[in-house]
Amino acid sequence: SPRCFPSSKTRNIKLICTNKEFETQEQEYFKNLNVENHIVNLNPNDNILANLYENAIALIFPSLYEGFGMPIIEAFSLNCPVVCSDIPVFQEIAEDAAIYFNPKSYSDIKQKVNKILNEKNLVNDLKGKGLERAKAFNWEQTAQQTINLYKQHS
């Protein structure tokens, strides 16, 4: 089974999932992996979400499709490293400021998350690049880029 934690190194890490209730099957899966006590499900307001980004080890964003990827920009602006799917829209947004994984490959996701856990210099580099990348987006630009991306991908 695909166990990546808890280990001595990750014993106190929590996976905080937002804005999606887990189905019974998912809850059973977490229990079978013995990770249910490490997973928290929240529907946070903006202040709590900002606090989560500011204190997170990283934003892990495994998506097969995303209209724009606003969480990536939010994470960047709050100095949170990003590890996300290698889908084109995310690559357009994050450029070299994120670590990418194949969202259909458990082993690739695990490898890339472990990089964040183990490579402090990489984390610091990503934080700096993320803050710079966030400056490229303001609300007007973001709205226009969102429209452009929807046109490209529809």
Side-chain angles (χ1 to χ4, degrees), residues 7 17 19-20 22 26 41 62 67 71 86 113 124 132 139 143 152:
S7 69
C17 302
N19 300 325
K20 180 193 179 293
F22 294 124
E26 292 169 318
N41 192 351
D86 60 4
V113 170
N124 290 332
E132 281 303 308
W139 289 115
Q152 288 175 8

Side-chain angles (χ1 to χ4, degrees), residues 120-137:
K120 189 171 186 132
N121 289 340
L122 173 64
V123 170
N124 290 332
D125 185 49
L126 289 173
K127 285 181 175 184
K129 288 179 177 179
L131 284 171
E132 281 303 308
R133 190 70 188 124
K135 292 176 186 176
F137 297 90

Side-chain angles (χ1 to χ4, degrees), residues 54-70:
E54 290 172 337
N55 292 289
I57 294 170
L59 168 66
I60 313 298
F61 203 4
S63 180
L64 296 173
Y65 173 80
E66 183 67 29
F68 182 71
M70 190 61 73

Side-chain angles (χ1 to χ4, degrees), residues 58-61 71-72 75-76 80-84 94 97-100 116 126:
L59 168 66
I60 313 298
F61 203 4
I72 293 171
F76 284 165
C80 179
V82 173
V83 184
C84 61
I99 295 177
Y100 298 98
I116 286 290
L126 289 173

Side-chain angles (χ1 to χ4, degrees), residues 16 23 46 61 78 107 122 144:
I16 301 176
E23 297 174 9
D46 289 343
F61 203 4
L78 292 166
S107 63
L122 173 64
Q144 188 57 53

Side-chain angles (χ1 to χ4, degrees), residues 9 14 21 48 57 65 95 111 129 142-143 153:
K9 189 170 196 169
K14 297 285 186 195
E21 293 296 320
I48 292 172
I57 294 170
Y65 173 80
E95 294 182 349
Q111 177 188 7
K129 288 179 177 179
T142 301
H153 298 285

